[in-house]
């Protein structure tokens, strides 16, 4: 494992870096129970997260999925591709945000209040 702070090799399951002393972020492997679900991406979205969700489901690069979707939309005369995207945007549920992202957004506005003048 490599320390993200000093970029040195450290023991695989250490909590702190032996070189710089930085606390290591715990990487929890998420195990899915049951089948994979197709959902819109909450972290990798440009418009509605449909292509990002498809990329996560098929474990592909989101940029490739977006390029293929754009080519299909252009080749079909725009109506089929745009209508399919909008229907998928409406039907597919939004994937829950990862804990780290949700926690950082929740505390982004927190802090000492500015003094009143």
């Amino acid at each position: 494992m490599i320390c993200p702070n000093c970029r040195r090799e450290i023991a695989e399951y250490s909590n702190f870096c032996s070189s710089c002393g930085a606390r290591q972020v715990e990487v929890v492997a998420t195990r899915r129970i049951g089948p994979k679900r197709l959902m819109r991406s909450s972290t990798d979205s440009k418009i509605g997260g449909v292509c990002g969700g498809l990329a996560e489901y098929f474990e592909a690069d989101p940029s490739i999925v977006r390029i293929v979707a754009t080519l299909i939309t252009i080749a079909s005369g725009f109506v089929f591709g745009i209508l399919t995207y909008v229907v998928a945007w409406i039907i597919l549920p939004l994937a829950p945000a990862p804990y780290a992202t949700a926690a950082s957004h929740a505390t982004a506005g927190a802090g000492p209040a500015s003094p009143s003048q």
Side-chain angles (χ1 to χ4, degrees), residues 73-93:
T73 301
I74 292 170
S76 67
F78 292 97
V79 176
F80 177 74
I82 293 172
L83 185 63
T84 303
Y85 190 90
V86 170
V87 168
W89 192 351
I90 293 169
I91 292 175
L92 294 178

Side-chain angles (χ1 to χ4, degrees), residues 4 7 10 18 20 24 35 40 49 70-71 77 85 90 97 99 102 106 108:
R7 301 284 183 208
I10 58 174
S18 59
C20 67
Q24 301 302 304
R40 292 184 294 133
T70 303
L71 292 175
Y85 190 90
I90 293 169
Y99 177 73

Side-chain angles (χ1 to χ4, degrees), residues 35-60:
K36 269 200 284 189
R37 293 191 61 200
L38 179 58
M39 303 175 108
R40 292 184 294 133
S41 177
S42 58
T43 57
D44 188 15
S45 65
K46 297 294 181 190
I47 298 175
V50 175
C51 291
L54 284 170
E56 288 175 10
Y57 185 79
F58 291 113
E59 298 175 359

Side-chain angles (χ1 to χ4, degrees), residues 7-40:
R7 301 284 183 208
R8 293 191 182 177
E9 186 72 28
I10 58 174
E12 188 65 32
Y13 296 104
S14 59
N15 292 328
F16 295 93
C17 177
S18 59
S19 299
C20 67
R23 182 169 180 80
Q24 301 302 304
V25 178
E26 183 178 336
V27 178
V28 178
T30 57
R31 293 187 180 184
R32 297 187 184 269
I33 300 173
K36 269 200 284 189
R37 293 191 61 200
L38 179 58
M39 303 175 108
R40 292 184 294 133

Side-chain angles (χ1 to χ4, degrees), residues 112-117:
S114 60
S116 300
Q117 293 180 354

